[in-house]
Amino acid sequence: MNRRRFLTAGAALAAAPLAAPGLARAEGGPVLRFVPQSDVGVLDPSFTTAYVTRNHAYLVYDTLFGTDDAFAVSPQMVEGHVTEDGGRTWRLTLRDGLRFHDGEPVLARDVAASLKRWWRRDAFGQEVAAVTEELSAPSDKVVQFRLKHPFALLPAALGKPSSYMPAIMPARLAEGPPDRMVTEIIGSGPFHFRADEHVAGSRLVYERFAGYVPRAGGTPSRTAGPKVAHVVRVEWTVMPDPATAAAALTAGEVDWVEKPLVDMLPTLRRNRALEVQRIDDDGSLPLMRFNHLQPPFDNPEVRRVVLHAVTQSEFLTAVAGEDRANWQDGVGVFARGTPLASDEDMAALTAPRDIARSRQALRAARYKGERVVVMAAGDYPTLNAMAQVGADLLTRIGMNVDLQTLDWGTIQQRRLKRDPVEQGGWSVYFTNVAGVEAFDPASHQNTRGLGLRSNPGWPTSGRLEELRAAWFAAGSPAEQQAVARQLQAQVFQDVPYVPLGQYFEPTAFRRGITGILKGFPLFHNLRKA
């Protein structure tokens, strides 16, 4: 497929300036103007795995623990903790000065309610729930876990930096109906969300929270250490396309573009007013996610046909260009270079491809010509590129493909629908898993086989769940690695999704911005000259 034939970024950097730029400073300090990868279609971090929502959430919410660049976990909202009964009782003491954006103090009962809400959906949280006999608030400052057996990973779970971050919110919100998103975005983080300035699909605004008290001591690193807001206001502007975003950055109308299109990077690098850096060394693992509830992908044989037809490099070059420094193929379930990455059954992804043979295999799998709705995120270039390549591949192997281009916010909502395609459902969508999330079975949501309790796609696999439990029970790194090899082989058998490799994306910002932390867009610590 001709790479990026579907993109029309062309002469974007020479485009005329946008409307008059917003004020660079507000009363009391500078304003940071940011262009996210897409619109934030879902504001509640417990209702989507979308990383743009996770990034939004870390402005507003805080977590009990933080995770640094070395993936070490340290206290964030807690002053510290003690364990008793051989590790079966944990008491976490909240630090002084914690307040919500509505002015109310953060109490232990808020924390307990928030965590009970979080663990309904998060994969790691579900492990915490399964091992917890009782989660309570014996006082305003103390959160107590009584566990069925010792669980040393508790701080790691409560400080996980990936999607479904364990956001702490007021109990009055956390205790709402479990199937409904919160209607107020109120946390205790360094910025508060300006709901009155929110324009869906266009604009999100955050202001520095005067009542936030950073934790004392330590060094800012990812979500760990003191979170000091040096800018008074953060404005997110959703741009219609990467060309417009790059033009706005070049003209000084915005300060930071999260993910500039790879074709534009050479021009941006030549601009002495701009800095192009890779802040995320973990990379992203793109994937093709199926709807397991509806034909044709309720049939595992059909899913395996697609798996054996995929050439990862075709997707990776569409997303990250021809330069192999920007991507790696031959990547399975776990991120390349991590302790659990292996070559187990990798022939499923690396054996020679033959489209004619795949067409025959699809007929043998009893594909009946069902319409396959592929959702493409038109406002999210990398996901759009994946969808275009994927739709082309599915067509070539003989599927009746209906490619529907939507905005990413709409896809986040529509992928929750379990209906047949004739009733507005879907068959395939494309997304990314951050390298930090594809690190182990605790956080890799897409390896779950819980049926309707899994992420959208809803795969069912008792064997995947058995292997995940075996990984948690493993007594040594060697035993964990052995289980992870079996889990990868089972993924290639059940095909809850198709791994599409691993790629790395730089970000671009104006040189007056300093102090940007590694990992993903975080807005504490950074300064604007």
Side-chain angles (χ1 to χ4, degrees):
M1 182 177 186
N2 184 17
R3 187 176 76 86
R4 240 182 288 279
R5 70 185 181 194
F6 44 86
L7 295 176
T8 56
L13 300 185
L18 303 174
L23 294 176
R25 298 184 68 84
E27 184 178 353
V31 174
L32 191 286
R33 300 159 301 181
F34 176 74
V35 180
Q37 58 188 268
S38 70
D39 182 29
V40 185
V42 177
L43 297 173
D44 186 334
S46 293
F47 273 77
T48 180
T49 58
Y51 292 123
V52 69
T53 297
R54 183 270 316 266
N55 301 348
H56 141 83
Y58 269 103
L59 280 147
V60 178
Y61 301 101
D62 215 346
T63 54
L64 297 181
F65 292 84
T67 302
D68 67 14
D69 289 338
F71 301 105
V73 179
S74 60
Q76 184 54 234
M77 292 179 71
V78 298
E79 188 62 39
H81 69 272
V82 296
T83 60
E84 297 175 347
D85 303 328
R88 288 186 290 273
T89 298
W90 290 64
R91 282 202 293 273
L92 316 178
T93 301
L94 299 177
R95 60 184 175 87
D96 294 334
L98 299 176
R99 302 196 77 81
F100 288 117
H101 301 153
D102 61 3
E104 294 296 317
V106 177
L107 303 177
R109 63 174 177 268
D110 298 306
V111 173
S114 297
L115 296 180
K116 290 174 183 177
R117 184 177 194 266
W118 159 73
W119 72 26
R120 293 190 188 105
R121 288 181 171 81
D122 181 66
F124 210 165
Q126 288 164 3
E127 293 297 329
V128 175
V131 77
T132 299
E133 188 73 46
E134 181 186 44
L135 170 56
S136 63
S139 74
D140 286 346
K141 294 288 292 276
V142 175
V143 180
Q144 180 171 286
F145 285 85
R146 283 200 305 109
L147 306 179
K148 299 173 184 176
H149 56 76
F151 189 73
L153 293 175
L154 183 62
L158 302 181
K160 64 186 290 287
S162 53
S163 55
Y164 289 146
M165 52 88 78
I168 304 303
M169 62 184 65
R172 64 180 177 83
L173 299 176
E175 292 172 345
D179 60 341
R180 296 183 190 174
M181 300 181 200
V182 292
T183 56
E184 298 176 75
I185 305 303
I186 295 177
S188 63
F191 295 88
H192 69 91
F193 179 64
R194 290 295 304 265
D196 60 327
E197 296 191 55
H198 178 215
V199 180
S202 177
R203 175 182 171 88
L204 301 97
V205 176
Y206 311 84
E207 286 188 352
R208 183 166 63 191
F209 177 42
Y212 184 76
V213 179
R215 76 169 298 106
T219 301
S221 180
R222 296 208 187 203
T223 63
K227 296 180 177 179
V228 180
H230 297 294
V231 296
V232 301
R233 184 176 166 97
V234 178
E235 298 175 354
W236 285 25
T237 301
V238 180
M239 295 287 181
D241 54 67
T244 305
L249 182 65
T250 302
E253 295 163 350
V254 298
D255 303 302
W256 184 3
V257 172
E258 181 182 0
K259 292 187 176 182
L261 197 65
V262 64
D263 291 344
M264 299 176 179
L265 294 178
T267 301
L268 295 177
R269 285 192 173 104
R270 288 194 295 269
N271 189 322
R272 288 180 293 179
L274 306 179
E275 185 79 24
V276 178
Q277 286 186 9
R278 180 193 292 180
I279 66 171
D280 181 9
D281 291 330
D282 307 321
S284 297
L285 279 70
L287 57 89
M288 179 190 299
R289 187 74 167 172
F290 302 114
N291 185 339
H292 291 240
L293 301 183
Q294 303 293 341
F297 297 117
D298 58 341
N299 181 348
E301 293 182 43
V302 172
R303 300 195 300 269
R304 286 193 287 271
V305 170
V306 177
L307 171 70
H308 297 146
V310 160
T311 300
Q312 287 186 339
S313 60
E314 293 180 353
F315 289 87
L316 293 166
T317 54
V319 167
E322 303 289 342
D323 187 350
R324 290 201 59 136
N326 295 330
W327 54 266
Q328 296 177 331
D329 57 356
V331 176
V333 170
F334 300 105
R336 178 72 62 84
T338 60
L340 300 184
S342 77
D343 60 359
E344 189 72 22
D345 278 8
M346 280 299 293
L349 285 168
T350 60
R353 281 8 197 174
D354 185 326
I355 293 297
R357 186 175 61 195
S358 294
R359 292 177 70 92
Q360 293 174 355
L362 188 63
R363 289 193 293 270
R366 304 178 303 281
Y367 172 65
K368 301 175 182 178
E370 297 97 339
R371 183 159 60 103
V372 172
V373 171
V374 177
M375 297 192 294
D379 60 338
Y380 196 147
T382 55
L383 300 189
N384 189 37
M386 290 181 224
Q388 301 289 338
V389 175
D392 179 71
L393 172 66
L394 297 177
T395 300
R396 285 189 288 130
I397 67 172
M399 287 191 164
N400 175 20
V401 174
D402 178 4
L403 178 64
Q404 298 186 8
T405 301
L406 312 163
D407 63 85
W408 179 232
T410 298
I411 290 177
Q412 290 179 58
Q413 298 284 349
R414 186 170 169 185
R415 67 181 178 175
L416 301 176
K417 291 177 65 67
R418 300 169 182 167
D419 307 298
V421 296
E422 293 78 14
Q423 298 175 27
W426 59 276
S427 308
V428 178
Y429 78 94
F430 294 80
T431 189
N432 289 309
V433 177
V436 66
E437 190 162 339
F439 187 82
D440 59 36
S443 58
H444 202 331
Q445 309 261 6
N446 289 283
T447 63
R448 301 305 303 268
L450 291 169
L452 296 182
R453 291 188 293 130
S454 297
N455 280 357
W458 309 287
T460 298
S461 171
R463 182 56 179 159
L464 282 176
E465 291 303 305
E466 289 173 5
L467 289 168
R468 187 169 183 273
W471 182 85
F472 276 100
S476 69
E479 291 178 9
Q480 288 183 328
Q481 290 168 352
V483 174
R485 294 181 71 91
Q486 295 178 64
L487 190 145
Q488 177 162 290
Q490 194 65 39
V491 165
F492 294 153
Q493 180 65 26
D494 294 336
V495 201
Y497 71 98
V498 176
L500 300 177
Q502 186 170 358
Y503 68 98
F504 306 90
E505 294 177 287
T507 193
F509 51 90
R510 299 195 66 81
R511 288 190 181 274
I513 310 301
T514 59
I516 292 178
L517 296 173
K518 292 286 187 180
F520 56 89
L522 293 161
F523 298 86
H524 58 271
N525 192 63
L526 64 75
R527 296 176 184 270
K528 178 180 176 181

